[in-house]
Amino acid sequence: MAGEFPAGFIWGCATASYQIEGAAFEDGKGESIWDRFSHTPGKVRNGDTGDVACDHYHRYLDDVRLMQDLGLKGYRFSVAWPRVLPRGYGQINRAGLDFYNRLVDALLEAEIEPFATLYHWDLPQALQDRGGWPNRDTAKAFGEYAALMFDELGDRLTNWITLNEPYVVADIGHRQGIHAPGHQSVEECLAAAHHLHVASGLAVQAFRESGRPGQIGITCNLAPIHPASDREEDLAAADRFDQWLNRWWLDPIYRGHYPQDLLGLLENRMPEIEPGDLELAHQPLDFFGLNYYFRQIVSHEPGEWLDTKVEFGPGPKTAFGWEVYPEGYYEIMTRLAREYDVKNLYLTENGCAYADRISEDGEVHDPERIAYLEQHLAQVARALEAGVPVRGYFLWSLMDNFEWAMGYSMRFGIVYTDYETLRRIPKDSAKWYAQVIERNGLP
Ligand code: IFM
């Protein structure tokens, strides 16, 4: 395995606003759907909320210093839409915008390239009150918010990601109901998915119109979908689920239409697709952002969603119960290059949760995470060798943070967050990652 990565490869870490910022009700920030959801009893493990999270809003300078110590070349964060526009549109909250201005300046000063995600799940509650993503107006509001951000930060910030994991927003938030807003409706899920496509397209359009320099793309979570057996019905079930998890996003973006077979099955539950919607979704992107965590094993299960049963594979598991399956990373990366002709690929998230704790020596030893990262980065190197145009890797996550419905129970960081004191302790994996960055490759 080649140790060296291409010159200029961006080694980064990723985070998201609601998961780390805290200051949930400070300096004029509006309520988000995650503020509302996490404060609703029974929705988040242990009743955890993001009220304080890692207090990054107040400690961002220390956190940038930490990133600098690790030698990070890039940092992917997200902007909390309701911090900037408390109601989602209209009145701007200058204090909120200033926070992102200061963060970007601090990153640039530290020679860390900022990558900003415009939507990582914290929708302004005021927009949810008007119907949220299933309402087409939310896409329009997103386009306007995106234009504002290009206007305000686009003189210095040149890497933009429209949405993070729209599949999770639509499916887990609106069909499964595990994430905010916690709804369970196929129709709402399909409408949300479609409006997310439109929203991303409007943001791309606004970026081009802004004339700002830089690049814009979208981040999706994709997974290899493997049939549970080679029985005909399992093969068909796996194909249906692939159309749902992967192609429901990739096909509109890269081919300008939804996957036809699944669309045929869902047609009478779809929202209205207005003329021009798919053209919006299908605009050329400067890059694609891939989040990879696991593969899924699918079998035929009548009566379940799409008549499928979806499981993790038999391999070793992380604390979340997710199968560790590094080969799947290569499979997805090469598929993106082969089937969708992706020209610039950023690996915008990859990482794992383990039950880390502070040892008696005061350090946090996380050999499983180092092994996980080593195995996944080896697949990145393999994909590079096969010609996949990978431009950067953003490890999820810089520090332990609020893991959505699991609250603080899942630790994904390479830096340990002591939630009592908010002290940050770099784990062994952080020291290991610093070496990888310094060498520009695996040892
Ligand atoms: O923490 C999340 C992140 O917000 C989105 N991608 C997956 C991560 C781990 O679950």
Side-chain angles (χ1 to χ4, degrees), residues 350-423:
N350 171 241
C352 50
Y354 285 107
D356 306 313
R357 51 176 192 83
I358 307 175
S359 298
E360 271 163 25
D361 61 5
E363 306 275 325
V364 180
H365 303 298
D366 57 343
E368 304 100 322
R369 181 170 292 100
I370 295 176
Y372 176 102
L373 295 171
E374 210 157 34
Q375 290 164 21
H376 284 77
L377 285 174
Q379 298 297 328
V380 179
R382 209 179 136 210
L384 278 162
E385 272 171 19
V388 181
V390 188
R391 309 292 180 214
Y393 173 87
F394 294 81
L395 196 161
W396 185 271
S397 180
L398 175 65
M399 55 190 147
D400 299 333
N401 57 47
F402 178 84
E403 179 52 32
W404 308 113
M406 302 302 274
Y408 296 103
S409 68
M410 291 297 150
R411 293 183 175 273
F412 273 91
I414 53 170
V415 173
Y416 183 93
T417 306
D418 178 342
Y419 293 112
E420 298 286 307
T421 61
L422 294 169
R423 192 159 70 99

Side-chain angles (χ1 to χ4, degrees), residues 240-371:
R240 279 195 302 282
F241 196 70
D242 181 54
Q243 290 183 59
W244 177 237
L245 177 71
N246 297 317
R247 292 181 51 201
W248 207 252
W249 308 99
L250 292 170
D251 285 17
I253 294 170
Y254 286 103
R255 298 177 177 157
H257 56 78
Y258 284 105
Q260 295 304 323
D261 291 354
L262 188 56
L263 184 63
L265 286 181
L266 297 173
E267 206 147 38
N268 54 7
R269 307 179 92 170
M270 286 291 285
E272 193 185 336
I273 300 179
E274 292 189 8
D277 282 2
L278 288 160
E279 286 75 9
L280 267 178
H282 181 47
Q283 287 165 88
L285 295 177
D286 299 313
F287 64 87
F288 186 78
L290 168 66
N291 289 359
Y292 174 73
Y293 289 94
F294 46 71
R295 68 167 162 172
Q296 303 264 238
I297 309 291
V298 176
S299 50
H300 180 66
E301 184 75 36
E304 293 299 318
W305 171 239
L306 305 178
D307 289 341
T308 57
K309 180 166 161 201
V310 182
E311 294 170 294
F312 293 111
K317 306 286 186 306
T318 68
F320 217 144
W322 296 355
E323 184 192 22
V324 179
Y325 186 69
E327 298 81 358
Y329 212 179
Y330 179 82
E331 192 179 320
I332 285 288
M333 285 185 267
T334 47
R335 181 181 185 186
L336 287 171
R338 191 179 58 245
E339 291 179 26
Y340 295 94
D341 199 23
V342 168
K343 293 278 190 263
N344 290 299
L345 178 62
Y346 284 95
L347 305 170
T348 41
E349 282 182 32
N350 171 241
C352 50
Y354 285 107
D356 306 313
R357 51 176 192 83
I358 307 175
S359 298
E360 271 163 25
D361 61 5
E363 306 275 325
V364 180
H365 303 298
D366 57 343
E368 304 100 322
R369 181 170 292 100
I370 295 176

